[in-house]
Amino acid sequence: MTASRIVALGHYQPPKVLTNDDLAKLVDTDDEWIRSRVGIRARHIAEDETLVDLATEAAQKALAHSGRTAEEIDLVVVATCTAIERSPNTAAAVAARLGVRAPAAYDINTVCSGFSYALATADHAIRAGAATRALVIGAERMSDTIDWTDRTTCVIFADGAGAAVVEAVPDEQAGIGPVVWGSEPEKGDAVTITGWDPVISQQGQSVFRWATTQIAPLARQACLRSGLDPSELRGFVAHQANLRIIDAIAGKLGLSEDAVVARDVIESGNTSAASIPLALSKLVERGELHTGDPVLLFGFGGGLAYAGQVVRCP
Ligand code: UT7
């Protein structure tokens, strides 16, 4: 039997940093409100870089770390909710830039849970024998959807990308656990990005309540489906929506004291589908997580959709 595992990660953030004080010059807000309610201190905002630029940069780094070449990739999946071009899709545009030959290439839009959906579909494709080596990317230019006069959203969302190289391995070396995924479509209007010049809007309090009450039991299920109790995890990388949400879920899971909890939201803001691979890649790069460590990824948000799985670190 064939399974899959992440063999390398990479990430990219555009150089321009917007601080809370910078935003206080645009809207009626302040550093204290943003840090205490959301936990964000700064975020990266793309200027000239397109969504494809962000995704390609992250993918190039993941490929370089893997020691593989673009020719060895046969599947490219991009999770994003901010693609402007409908055709070619983002995955095809990234594949063309990288020189990937004849890949299956598709985008997934499940908003903030997109990376875990993309990772699951790549794992399923490899298990089914439809692919052998995949690039799985989460990339967003959320700044394209921001109304810079709306203080309820412009202080939260940001740009960036993270990528993983995923390879076929024998079943006993499996590194991507079973996904727990689903949605509450009747709550779809809690996060919207609509219109010809799409603008993001969210019912912050109801999403906050949903995330802090509904997600922990689902995240626990993802652990159990991998045969682990949450106390056995070495790391937890939730969608980086809000520090209070991350800490509330982590608290309910009963992680061990030395488990590493990703809090990249502090420096990166909410980058939707990019937030999980971005945070995971940084923790591995900084040596806070090590090869083989079991880490729970869990995405949630627009849809309202959620998805998560336990992965072994590359
Ligand atoms: O990634 C997609 C999924 N999304 C999420 O997971 C988001 C979940 N929700 C949240 O993270 C939080 O609800 C927010 C960070 C969005 C908002 O925090 P909150 O503690 O729920 O604030 P609130 O919406 O209840 O607003 C409290 C007050 C309001 O003023 P009044 O009505 O009490 O006078 C807002 O108008 O804070 C005001 N406010 C602000 N004040 C200063 C809203 N935004 C700001 C701001 N600066 N930027």
Side-chain angles (χ1 to χ4, degrees):
M1 288 283 283
T2 300
S4 80
R5 66 180 300 132
I6 297 174
V7 295
L9 294 158
H11 63 272
Y12 177 76
Q13 290 177 287
K16 183 178 176 183
V17 173
L18 215 55
T19 64
N20 293 343
D21 289 340
D22 293 332
L23 286 163
K25 291 176 194 146
L26 295 180
V27 289
D28 180 15
T29 191
D30 57 76
D31 180 57
E32 206 283 326
W33 190 95
I34 302 171
R35 279 195 290 115
S36 62
R37 299 288 181 126
V38 208
I40 301 173
R41 289 173 193 267
R43 71 285 289 145
H44 293 249
I45 299 293
E47 295 182 284
D48 296 338
E49 298 104 327
T50 65
L51 176 66
V52 174
D53 293 334
L54 303 179
T56 304
E57 289 276 356
Q60 263 164 345
K61 289 185 179 163
L63 262 184
H65 293 155
S66 74
R68 307 293 184 196
T69 63
E71 290 81 30
E72 294 175 276
I73 300 291
D74 57 8
L75 172 63
V76 181
V77 190
V78 177
T80 187
C81 67
T82 48
I84 294 171
E85 274 83 32
R86 312 275 175 103
S87 179
N89 63 29
T90 317
V94 171
R97 286 272 196 92
L98 294 173
V100 182
R101 293 212 200 101
Y106 57 90
D107 290 4
I108 282 183
N109 174 9
T110 54
V111 203
C112 303
S113 56
F115 184 77
S116 281
Y117 271 84
L119 195 61
T121 68
D123 177 53
H124 298 165
I126 289 172
R127 285 177 182 274
T132 56
R133 189 168 293 115
L135 260 174
V136 183
I137 305 165
E140 301 282 15
R141 249 190 78 116
M142 295 304 288
S143 57
D144 281 342
T145 71
I146 292 172
D147 169 356
W148 292 101
T149 65
D150 179 0
R151 68 176 182 172
T152 69
T153 51
C154 76
V155 302
I156 292 174
F157 294 99
D159 303 334
V165 175
V166 175
E167 279 186 9
V169 290
D171 213 22
E172 60 276 14
Q173 294 170 26
I176 297 179
V179 69
V180 167
W181 58 10
S183 65
E184 298 192 30
E186 68 283 1
K187 295 182 182 156
D189 60 2
V191 182
T192 57
I193 306 177
T194 54
W196 286 111
D197 189 8
V199 171
I200 189 159
S201 133
Q202 65 174 347
Q203 297 163 16
Q205 281 189 11
S206 59
V207 183
F208 188 96
R209 260 196 310 278
W210 173 74
T212 50
T213 57
Q214 307 299 307
I215 297 303
L218 297 160
R220 174 176 293 276
Q221 243 180 60
C223 294
L224 300 181
R225 289 207 63 203
S226 276
L228 291 172
D229 183 82
S231 62
E232 296 173 275
L233 293 170
R234 280 290 303 126
F236 174 46
V237 183
H239 166 49
Q240 301 291 295
N242 181 319
L243 197 55
R244 290 189 293 150
I245 296 177
I246 294 166
D247 287 340
I249 299 172
K252 286 186 179 180
L253 281 174
L255 304 174
S256 82
E257 261 181 27
D258 58 354
V260 176
V261 176
R263 294 191 174 89
D264 187 48
V265 65
I266 297 171
E267 297 305 328
S268 301
N270 179 340
T271 58
S272 185
S275 83
I276 288 178
L278 192 55
L280 179 64
S281 176
K282 285 184 185 179
L283 289 174
V284 171
E285 187 175 83
R286 290 202 298 259
E288 293 183 46
L289 289 171
H290 304 99
T291 307
D293 282 349
V295 177
L296 171 65
L297 312 183
F298 213 93
F300 53 85
L304 293 177
Y306 55 82
Q309 62 273 90
V310 174
V311 301
R312 296 277 167 179
C313 277

